[in-house]
């Protein structure tokens, strides 16, 4: 992919305004903003929209913002939002039908006119987008709307300088340094200065980078950037041992630990909603009061609802234990058979945003250990 | 095609759910071809007799007369649909089920002997067969329109019993519970579109219990956030105090000491 060191530059923070403005000329620019006590993704137009000087404090079932002692623009880990909400929106009209004198007209949804630029995509999120690409775009039945939004998105990645205690990308080999799938990758340098190392990952990225005020990167800049992600990886306190995990979870199908988790699990679906790889949707038809028009609508669904496994006569997964087991084993075991990768990228969102703080890493580890003890 | 004859009846309630129907006037007037509003005292003084195809019942049963009246209405109804927390769970007035109603009557009214009331407030389903229920305090206009549209089209209405959290996350709201504010969303039936969390408030449980509510796990979380057993009782003993899962949870916390 990128090899030309010519495409590695150093930018002043102000140059990011030029980056945003250049992208905004043809795209909807989305990036991190501070709102409702969290860092969320929304439309941005100015550098000031970014949450300068803020960081997050995350634990299982807990999230708070705190000021930093510096003016870092990306000094936090991932929050409750993910890019999934733009690439696979929570609600999407698939088509409309209209009754006519001689039958039924099928009307496609209005074509998506907006193209996106994502600013501040983390390594784990790039990995998650790659997972969803495989599921939604690269299989035999491509989701054309997803594929179009994905194709046109310009991605500015950020290599993480801060990990939350819930992050475990290093153990999943998905971060904290972006490996591929970006147009430009930034590393925020705060070693007594405030600058960004910028690397192009595509021709479009290289062209845009060339148009920004910058200077070439020195060996010292490269080493400083490398140190950022090495330190972030080293600072991670959570880790998932994935070795042989798919087989071990499969073998633990009837372990009593699932019942123990079910005592704490609300079956509220929050983990699946925040997970950047969870892709399940439901499709419902809505008629209007005249019954002349109908819409087929696709919306986010969750394996934690009863409807999700409803077959003729009832739901297959009645108990919360069965539903939690479905979710965890899909993420960490059956996903591998199905798609060749794990369905978890180690972003930690499901841990932070579980209202009762159920920890995927702890539960998978407990099941593995129970399994080892049993065998 | 014969028009769908619609009737609305009221029992012990505040009228808020019927107002949601009035709130649909634009939509409903547009479909008077399909729906005849035959009996709706709040909208028209012309009250046509039954039978009706679709009867919406608001309110709970709190008097002996009402217990008889609902039997008569059932006989006139094709589909009988309860609307709102009063009709589906007994409403806020079901708080009397946890107390001595006669004693309250003596404490509140100068002439308690004028008051003729039952000791309990019960949902309509405790008295007659109910074909469908629309939850909420009040119901949402959207679910009412969805129900009527589905009935007209002969399809099943899309009114999932999943928790409010799914609506909350679908609209991108930041979870207030994870930020420290008690919220009943994880155990509450969807339908409001997660209104309160979108205003940074915890869910009050207006739509009653969701399909598989783990109230004990949520109460444990509230305790960890510093709520007293009394506060937890109050959270579950609300508009849907009489709904089975919420009733159980409030009773489980009632005798814990603060
Ligand atoms: S399962 Fe949890 S940690 Fe893994 S990708 Fe999904 S939200 Fe992130
Ligand atoms: S999981 Fe890794 S890549 Fe994702 S936010 Fe945390 S440190 Fe960054
Ligand atoms: S704010 Fe309440 S309803 Fe929304 S996700 Fe959190 S717990 Fe659920």
């Amino acid at each position: 992919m990128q090899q030309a060191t010519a495409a590695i530059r150093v930018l002043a923070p102000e140059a990011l305004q030029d980056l945003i403005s250049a992208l905004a000329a043809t795209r909807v620019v989305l990036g991190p903003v501070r709102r409702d006590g969290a860092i969320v993704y929304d439309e941005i137009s100015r550098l000031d929209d970014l949450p300068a000087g803020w960081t997050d404090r995350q634990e299982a079932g807990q999230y708070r913002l705190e000021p930093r002692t510096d003016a870092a623009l990306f000094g936090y880990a991932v929050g409750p939002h993910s890019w999934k909400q733009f690439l696979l929106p929570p609600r999407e009209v698939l088509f409309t039908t209209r009754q006519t004198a001689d039958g039924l007209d099928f009307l496609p949804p209005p074509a998506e006119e907006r193209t996106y630029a994502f600013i501040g995509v983390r390594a784990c999120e790039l990995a998650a987008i790659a997972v969803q690409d495989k599921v939604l775009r690269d299989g035999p039945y491509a989701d054309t709307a997803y594929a179009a939004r994905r194709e046109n998105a310009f991605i500015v990645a950020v290599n993480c300088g801060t990990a939350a205690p819930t992050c475990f990308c290093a153990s999943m080999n998905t971060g904290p340094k972006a490996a591929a799938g970006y147009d430009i990758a930034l590393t925020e340098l705060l070693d007594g200065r405030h600058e960004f190392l910028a690397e192009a990952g595509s021709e479009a990225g290289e062209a845009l980078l060339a148009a920004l005020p910058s200077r070439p990167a020195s060996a010292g800049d490269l080493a400083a950037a490398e140190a950022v992600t090495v330190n972030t990886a080293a600072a991670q306190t959570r880790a998932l041992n994935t070795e042989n995990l798919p087989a071990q979870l499969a073998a633990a199908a009837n372990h009593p630990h699932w019942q123990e988790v079910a005592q704490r699990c609300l079956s509220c679906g929050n983990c699946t909603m925040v997970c950047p790889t969870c892709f399940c949707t439901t499709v419902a038809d809505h008629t209007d009061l005249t019954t002349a028009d109908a819409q087929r609508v696709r919306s986010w669904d969750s394996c934690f609802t009863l409807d999700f496994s409803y077959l003729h006569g009832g739901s297959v997964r009645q108990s919360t234990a069965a539903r939690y087991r479905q979710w965890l084993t899909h993420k960490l075991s059956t996903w591998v058979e199905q798609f060749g990768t794990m369905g978890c990228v180690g972003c930690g969102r499901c841990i932070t945003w579980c209202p009762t703080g159920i920890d995927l890493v702890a539960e998978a580890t407990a099941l593995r250990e129970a399994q080892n003890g049993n065998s | 095609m014969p028009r769908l004859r619609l009737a609305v009846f009221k029992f012990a309630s505040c009228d808020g759910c019927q107002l949601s129907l009035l709130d649909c006037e634009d939509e409903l007037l547009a479909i008077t071809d399909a729906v005849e509003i035959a009996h709706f005292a709040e909208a028209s003084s012309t009250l046509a007799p039954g039978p009706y195809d679709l009867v919406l019942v608001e309110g709970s049963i709190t008097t002996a007369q009402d217990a008889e009246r609902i039997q008569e209405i059932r006989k006139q109804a094709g589909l009988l649909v309860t609307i709102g927390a009063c009709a589906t769970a007994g409403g806020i007035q079901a708080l009397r089920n946890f107390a001595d109603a006669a004693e309250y009557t003596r404490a509140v009214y100068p002439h308690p002997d004028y008051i003729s009331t039952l000791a309990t407030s019960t949902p309509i389903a405790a008295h007659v067969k109910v074909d469908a229920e629309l939850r909420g305090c009040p119901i949402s206009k959207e679910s009412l329109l969805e129900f009527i549209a589905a009935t007209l089209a002969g399809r099943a209405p899309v009114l999932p019993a999943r928790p409010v959290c799914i609506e909350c996350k679908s609209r991108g709201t930041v979870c207030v519970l994870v930020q420290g504010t008690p919220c009943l969303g994880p155990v509450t039936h969807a339908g409001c579109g997660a209104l309160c969390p979108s205003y940074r408030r915890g869910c009050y449980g207006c739509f009653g219990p969701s399909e598989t509510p783990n109230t004990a796990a949520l109460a444990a979380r509230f305790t960890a956030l510093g709520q007293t057993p009394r506060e937890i009782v109050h959270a579950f003993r609300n508009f849907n105090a009489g709904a089975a899962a919420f009733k159980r949870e409030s009773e489980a916390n009632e005798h814990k000491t603060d």
Side-chain angles (χ1 to χ4, degrees), chain A residues 36-37 81 265 270 287 306 355, chain B residues 155 169 172 179 211 214 221:
Chain A
D36 295 334
H81 286 182
C265 176
N270 270 305
T287 46
L306 275 181
Chain B
R155 64 176 172 89
K169 281 287 180 294
Q179 294 175 312
E211 52 194 9
N214 186 350
R221 181 79 187 116

Side-chain angles (χ1 to χ4, degrees), chain A residues 36-38 40 61-64 81 90 262-268 270 273-274 285-287 289 291 300 305-307 323 352-353 355-356, chain B residues 27 31 145-146 148-150 152-153 155 158 160 162-163 165-166 169-170 172 174-175 177-180 186-187 200 211-212 214 217-218 221:
Chain A
D36 295 334
V40 297
Q62 292 177 46
Y63 183 100
R64 299 287 189 283
H81 286 182
Q263 301 287 309
R264 290 175 278 135
C265 176
L266 296 164
S267 204
C268 62
N270 270 305
M273 299 284 118
V274 294
D285 291 345
H286 297 271
T287 46
L289 288 164
T291 65
W300 284 359
T305 69
L306 275 181
D307 284 346
R323 283 176 252 157
T352 299
W353 299 99
T356 63
Chain B
E27 289 90 345
I31 55 141
L145 287 171
E146 166 63 14
I148 294 175
L152 287 171
R155 64 176 172 89
V158 184
R162 58 198 195 169
C165 296
I166 294 186
K169 281 287 180 294
S170 295
V174 179
C175 179
L177 181 52
V178 166
Q179 294 175 312
V187 297
R200 311 290 298 141
E211 52 194 9
T212 56
N214 186 350
L218 188 61
R221 181 79 187 116

Side-chain angles (χ1 to χ4, degrees), chain B residues 230-254:
Chain B
R230 192 181 154 81
E231 287 170 313
I232 295 171
V233 170
H234 288 169
F236 285 99
R237 203 168 277 177
N238 212 319
F239 329 107
N240 286 286
F246 287 6
K247 178 170 184 279
R248 260 197 316 277
E249 195 54 44
S250 74
E251 285 170 345
N253 284 274
E254 195 163 31

Side-chain angles (χ1 to χ4, degrees), chain B:
Chain B
M1 194 171 76
R3 294 197 297 172
L4 184 81
R5 296 196 83 217
L6 175 78
V8 184
F9 290 96
K10 173 189 156 62
F11 289 82
S13 58
C14 76
D15 284 29
C17 291
Q18 296 186 56
L19 286 174
S20 304
L21 182 60
L22 282 180
D23 197 24
C24 299
E25 58 188 338
D26 289 346
E27 289 90 345
L28 287 177
L29 283 178
I31 55 141
T32 41
D33 280 354
V35 178
E36 174 200 351
I37 301 177
H39 184 292
F40 185 15
E42 191 128 329
S44 164
S45 49
T46 314
L47 301 175
Y52 312 105
D53 300 314
L54 173 60
V55 169
L56 303 177
V57 177
E58 179 194 270
S60 67
I61 303 298
T62 56
T63 66
Q65 295 89 314
D66 278 355
E68 282 171 26
R69 189 160 61 98
I70 189 63
Q71 300 295 339
E72 288 312 307
I73 290 171
R74 176 70 261 193
K75 288 179 194 150
Q76 299 293 319
L79 281 178
L80 188 148
V81 179
T82 50
I83 58 169
C86 300
T88 59
I92 190 77
Q93 60 274 26
L95 287 177
R96 72 167 69 175
N97 304 2
F98 301 88
D100 182 344
E103 195 187 314
Y104 270 103
T105 311
R106 281 191 298 276
V108 173
Y109 296 98
H111 296 287
D113 40 317
Y114 290 177
I115 304 294
S116 163
T117 183
L118 297 172
T120 55
S121 167
T122 44
I124 301 300
H127 299 266
V128 296
K129 177 173 164 283
V130 167
D131 299 301
E133 48 180 40
L134 298 180
R135 301 286 199 84
C137 185
I139 56 166
S140 80
K141 174 179 162 175
E142 289 70 29
S143 38
L144 181 61
L145 287 171
E146 166 63 14
F147 189 87
I148 294 175
T151 306
L152 287 171
R155 64 176 172 89
V158 184
L159 298 166
R162 58 198 195 169
V164 171
C165 296
I166 294 186
E167 295 184 323
C168 191
K169 281 287 180 294
S170 295
R171 67 187 285 173
T173 300
V174 179
C175 179
V176 300
L177 181 52
V178 166
Q179 294 175 312
T181 301
C183 176
L184 286 178
V187 297
T188 298
H189 191 295
C192 65
L195 187 62
C196 291
S198 78
Y199 287 95
R200 311 290 298 141
R201 306 293 296 261
C203 165
Y204 295 95
C206 306
F207 280 62
S210 56
E211 52 194 9
T212 56
N214 186 350
T215 54
L218 188 61
R221 181 79 187 116
F222 285 8
T223 303
L225 287 175
Q227 291 243 299
T228 62
R230 192 181 154 81
E231 287 170 313
I232 295 171
V233 170
H234 288 169
F236 285 99
R237 203 168 277 177
N238 212 319
F239 329 107
N240 286 286
F246 287 6
K247 178 170 184 279
R248 260 197 316 277
E249 195 54 44
S250 74
E251 285 170 345
N253 284 274
E254 195 163 31
H255 304 295
K256 293 182 185 163
T257 44
D258 279 13

Side-chain angles (χ1 to χ4, degrees), chain A residues 74-121:
Chain A
F74 299 98
Y76 38 83
V78 291
H81 286 182
S82 76
W83 308 101
K84 172 173 92 172
Q85 73 207 51
F86 306 108
L87 296 171
L88 181 68
R91 184 180 187 280
E92 192 174 11
V93 176
L94 298 180
F95 61 79
T96 302
T97 62
R98 178 154 300 160
Q99 221 149 32
T100 59
D102 51 354
L104 213 52
D105 275 351
F106 283 80
L107 314 168
E112 177 67 82
E113 277 160 13
R114 298 182 301 178
T115 56
Y116 293 127
F118 300 155
I119 310 282
V121 182

Side-chain angles (χ1 to χ4, degrees), chain A residues 77-78 122-125 160 162-164 167-169 174-176 232 236 346-347:
Chain A
V78 291
R122 306 307 175 102
C124 61
E125 302 188 293
C160 290
T162 310
C167 294
F168 57 102
C169 62
T174 54
T232 303
Q236 289 188 6
C347 74

